[in-house]
Amino acid sequence: MLSPLLFAALLLFPSIHATKIKYCDKNGEYAVKVKGVDMSPDPVVRGKPATFRISASTDKAISGGKLVIEVRYFGVHIHTESHNLCEETSCPISTGDFVLSHTQTLPGYTPPGSYTLKMKMLGASGHQLTCINFDFKIQLGSPFADS
């Protein structure tokens, strides 16, 4: 099961690297504006902890909802997962800036290569608050890497 892979793909941080994001709909009017995604390490190393940190802002208070994550490996859909928004940040979310953050250790069998993560944030009533895509890489662990 690739569940750990997916969530490592959702929210990734020893060196911080800003990742280029794209909105799913370039002309979409999203209530949540994503400012950036920081990953550490970048590239992600399987078998080692990785953190995704998504900085965003909202013009409306958010009482709850969910994150829907889809992961593609070299363009092929491999996993979809949902998470309670309030488990990834403090709820309720007030207007202004907030951060979603998650740390995950990828299993040693995770294949190295290029991945794309699509994240949809849905409000408590199921309406879409934002939708972004970003790319990341996973590399093999090194026996000489620091623990």
Side-chain angles (χ1 to χ4, degrees):
M1 177 158 204
L2 294 174
S3 177
L5 166 66
L6 167 76
F7 222 25
L10 170 60
L11 299 168
L12 283 182
F13 262 153
S15 68
I16 296 177
H17 183 271
T19 301
K20 183 178 178 183
I21 62 142
K22 298 176 206 158
Y23 284 100
C24 300
D25 179 355
K26 293 177 188 176
N27 299 319
E29 293 293 325
Y30 296 117
V32 172
K33 308 288 192 248
V34 176
K35 297 177 176 184
V37 176
D38 293 320
M39 297 187 303
S40 180
D42 185 12
V44 175
V45 179
R46 67 187 194 175
K48 301 285 184 182
T51 301
F52 287 98
R53 183 177 161 91
I54 300 174
S55 303
S57 65
T58 181
D59 55 3
K60 297 179 181 180
I62 301 169
S63 61
K66 68 179 180 176
L67 298 174
V68 179
I69 310 299
E70 296 176 24
V71 177
R72 293 184 178 272
Y73 179 59
F74 288 107
V76 177
H77 180 266
I78 58 168
H79 192 73
T80 300
E81 195 168 298
S82 293
H83 298 276
N84 183 319
L85 177 62
C86 298
E87 292 176 5
E88 305 307 320
T89 194
S90 297
C91 286
I93 300 169
S94 301
T95 58
D97 296 340
F98 67 98
V99 174
L100 299 168
S101 183
H102 183 77
T103 300
Q104 183 91 25
T105 300
L106 297 176
Y109 60 80
T110 305
S114 298
Y115 290 79
T116 300
L117 181 127
K118 178 178 183 179
M119 180 196 80
K120 293 181 193 175
M121 182 185 295
L122 307 175
S125 66
H127 63 285
Q128 186 169 273
L129 299 171
T130 199
C131 180
I132 62 167
N133 293 290
F134 61 90
D135 297 329
F136 68 100
K137 293 186 188 270
I138 296 177
Q139 71 179 21
L140 296 171
S142 167
F144 305 106
D146 294 337
S147 22

